[in-house]
């Protein structure tokens, strides 16, 4: 059938470009939102954390290039969604079950039931890609982290 302008634009989309700011924890939590959105749109996520000198981009330095198996929709046009820090629709997302008056349970992830799985997938990917992974594993082994 015929595609609407919005549907056609989404078909041309090939990445979510995410520019982060602020502290490391803030960057990671917001980056999981951008990852989630990119997976829902079936496009690649291209994080950017700025430069620590003229030639070293921080995210790429710490985690390397994006693995080929994470690159999505490469046949699309060269169109990207640019996100800076906050991901629209995700900034108020809070996980957990809360009780409100009358004992009704309310999930803070309304409409995003698969967000936890998405976050887990994202963090496991970063663990595998972390530049200093072997040093961390060696430290853990040397100090018997498995015994704690």
């Amino acid at each position: 059938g015929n595609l609407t302008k919005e549907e056609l634009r989404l078909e041309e989309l090939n990445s979510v470009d995410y520019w982060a700011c602020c502290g490391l924890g803030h960057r990671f939590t917001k980056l999981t939102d951008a990852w989630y959105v990119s997976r829902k749109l079936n496009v690649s996520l291209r994080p950017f954390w700025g430069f620590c000198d003229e030639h070293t981009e921080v995210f790429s330095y710490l985690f390397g290039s994006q693995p080929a198996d994470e690159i999505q929709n490469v046949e699309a046009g060269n169109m990207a969604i640019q996100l800076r820090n906050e991901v629209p629709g995700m900034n108020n997302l809070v996980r957990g079950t809360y009780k409100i008056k009358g004992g009704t349970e309310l999930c803070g992830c309304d409409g995003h039931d698969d967000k936890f799985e998405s976050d887990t997938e994202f963090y496991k990917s970063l663990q595998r890609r972390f530049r200093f992974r072997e040093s961390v594993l060696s430290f853990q082994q040397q100090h018997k982290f498995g015994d704690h």
Side-chain angles (χ1 to χ4, degrees):
N2 294 335
L3 298 175
T4 65
K5 278 186 179 181
E6 189 170 287
E7 289 169 330
L8 184 58
R9 287 186 58 124
L10 283 177
E11 281 200 2
E12 294 174 1
L13 186 68
N14 65 354
S15 72
V16 170
D17 293 355
Y18 179 75
W19 281 268
C21 79
C22 310
L24 188 59
H26 185 83
R27 290 177 189 220
F28 278 127
T29 59
K30 298 303 179 183
L31 191 53
T32 63
D33 293 344
W35 169 269
Y36 180 78
V37 168
S38 73
R39 292 291 163 243
K40 287 295 185 184
L41 295 174
N42 192 34
V43 297
S44 298
L45 173 65
R46 298 189 305 182
F48 177 74
W49 286 5
F51 293 93
C52 58
D53 60 31
E54 289 182 31
H55 307 290
T56 306
E57 195 280 314
V58 177
F59 188 86
S60 296
Y61 175 78
L62 292 174
F63 302 104
S65 300
Q66 187 174 19
D69 65 338
E70 291 181 8
I71 297 174
Q72 308 279 327
N73 205 18
V74 293
E75 292 84 22
N78 192 21
M79 195 165 105
I81 294 176
Q82 294 183 1
L83 301 174
R84 295 189 184 271
N85 199 37
E86 298 293 336
V87 177
M90 301 297 284
N91 55 352
N92 294 320
L93 186 64
V94 177
R95 278 186 220 94
T97 301
Y98 305 94
K99 292 210 182 228
I100 57 175
K101 288 182 182 179
T104 306
E105 289 189 356
L106 177 68
C107 175
C109 317
D110 195 28
H112 302 287
D113 296 336
D114 55 348
K115 178 73 166 74
F116 181 77
E117 290 80 15
S118 173
D119 289 0
T120 301
E121 176 188 353
F122 171 75
Y123 284 120
K124 284 183 177 181
S125 170
L126 288 186
Q127 264 186 331
R128 287 188 302 273
R129 295 168 52 188
F130 184 54
R131 177 185 196 116
F132 304 104
R133 177 177 168 78
E134 293 305 317
S135 298
V136 171
L137 293 175
S138 175
F139 181 87
Q140 288 175 332
Q141 187 176 26
Q142 179 183 356
H143 296 282
K144 301 180 186 338
F145 271 48
D147 296 342
H148 297 284

